[in-house]
Amino acid sequence: MTTSLFLVQLINGLQYGLLLFLIASGLTLVFGVMGILNLAHGSMYMVGAYLVWYFFEHTGSFGLSALISAVIALLVGVFMERTLIRQLYRRNHLDQVLLTIGMIFVFNALQSILWGNDPLGVAVPPSLSGAIPMTDVLEYPIYRIFVALLCVLIAGVMYFMINKTRLGMLIRAGESNREMVECLGIDIRKLYTIVFAIGVMLAAVAGVAAAPMSSIVPGMGEHILITCFVVVVIGGMGSIKGAFVAALLVGLVDTFASVMVPQLSSMMIYILMAFILLIKPQGLFSS
């Protein structure tokens, strides 16, 4: 492997890992605080991609389309939590799996009805369409760098929110002892609504960010969901820090495996997961 190819794959792996973190952080946040195993989380990624395509076709502005898509995803999260997820808090994980799998079929059917089954694409915004020269023969797309920086920014905002704000204090308290939080007069249901809506929005924002880099196709959320579960398991269920480290590991392993051992690339992240679980059965940073 040449130095240029190594550098490109390293940046690709980090960028992919950061995008995985954006999705997986919402998944692990919801599970850690609410105890909800949301298998429909990947559908929110798909919804974000389709929403930004739809609004971009009508407005011509990627920034405005992204903002509208994020707000709609937040409202969808609120609606889902209040009408469906709220019924699962005192039920077992099997009930959660059954309901959220049903939600996957609902979202896939709605996607097919509203937008059809043909592959779609979103153009890279003109202001981010160039490439930055990294060596004499190597350039890297500005948009991919922008997505990586956006994911780092969101990760920083999440860290600040969870560790330095009152909302973050309540989220951490709700994760540790829900009954005590309720005894202190905190409306735990409102807290759960906020957490679930944020989780949904994070997945949708990841779909928005990924739309100009890949095709928008039916069922695109299922594949990314499996990878994100690998990230969550490696990092430790409920751990945001673990999700961040694990996402970078998975992104790098998957990217380099695709180049160095393409015949085994589809199984390398599962081998990584099995190896880590043999050493740390609870994940790297179990909460």
Side-chain angles (χ1 to χ4, degrees):
M1 180 181 292
T2 65
T3 303
S4 297
L5 180 58
F6 174 81
L7 185 60
V8 168
Q9 296 309 317
L10 177 63
I11 299 173
N12 280 338
L14 291 174
Q15 183 263 312
Y16 178 49
L18 288 167
L19 191 64
L20 284 178
F21 166 73
L22 200 57
I23 312 169
S25 59
L27 186 64
T28 198
L29 184 67
V30 168
F31 182 83
V33 177
M34 303 166 60
I36 295 294
L37 196 60
N38 181 18
L39 296 186
H41 193 74
S43 297
M44 300 301 101
Y45 173 81
M46 178 188 72
V47 167
Y50 273 99
L51 283 175
V52 77
W53 170 82
Y54 176 80
F55 288 112
F56 184 73
E57 290 291 309
H58 287 78
T59 66
S61 169
F62 182 80
L64 179 60
S65 302
L67 180 61
I68 296 172
S69 301
V71 172
I72 291 176
L74 189 70
L75 296 176
V76 168
V78 171
F79 176 79
M80 287 171 59
E81 193 280 333
R82 291 188 173 180
T83 58
L84 297 172
I85 302 301
R86 186 167 290 186
Q87 317 304 320
L88 298 176
Y89 293 143
R90 302 192 182 278
R91 299 193 181 187
N92 59 38
H93 288 314
L94 178 59
D95 291 338
Q96 298 171 10
V97 167
L98 291 173
L99 177 61
T100 53
I101 284 179
M103 290 164 61
I104 293 175
F105 291 117
V106 170
F107 280 114
N108 284 346
L110 288 174
Q111 166 266 309
S112 180
I113 293 169
L114 294 174
W115 297 299
N117 294 319
D118 294 331
L120 304 172
V122 176
V124 174
S127 58
L128 299 171
S129 61
I132 294 178
M134 305 188 71
T135 68
D136 293 338
V137 295
L138 175 64
E139 293 183 335
Y140 199 79
I142 292 175
Y143 183 77
R144 287 183 175 269
I145 296 174
F146 167 77
V147 170
L149 293 176
L150 175 66
C151 293
V152 170
L153 175 63
I154 293 175
V157 170
M158 286 184 63
Y159 175 83
F160 179 82
M161 181 192 75
I162 291 174
N163 292 282
K164 304 294 183 181
T165 66
R166 185 175 184 274
L167 175 61
M169 178 187 68
L170 294 175
I171 288 174
R172 286 181 282 118
E175 182 178 2
S176 301
N177 195 322
R178 302 170 196 175
E179 291 77 14
M180 182 60 70
V181 172
E182 287 184 295
C183 290
L184 292 173
I186 304 299
D187 188 347
I188 197 71
R189 290 194 171 189
K190 184 181 294 184
L191 178 64
Y192 282 178
T193 301
I194 293 171
V195 169
F196 190 83
I198 290 174
V200 167
M201 186 177 67
L202 287 171
V205 168
V208 168
M213 297 188 295
S214 60
S215 296
I216 303 171
V217 294
M220 61 188 291
E222 280 76 57
H223 173 73
I224 202 73
L225 175 69
I226 295 171
T227 306
C228 285
F229 266 116
V230 171
V231 169
V232 171
V233 170
I234 290 175
M237 299 296 283
S239 172
I240 297 294
K241 179 171 67 173
F244 184 79
V245 174
L248 294 180
L249 278 175
V250 169
L252 289 170
V253 168
D254 187 65
T255 301
F256 278 100
S258 299
V259 176
M260 299 176 68
V261 282
Q263 302 87 348
L264 302 176
S265 61
S266 60
M267 69 175 71
M268 286 304 294
I269 62 172
Y270 304 106
I271 295 174
L272 172 67
M273 178 177 68
F275 176 75
I276 289 176
L277 291 181
L278 283 173
I279 301 171
K280 298 202 68 174
Q282 301 301 318
L284 295 175
F285 300 93
S286 58
S287 59

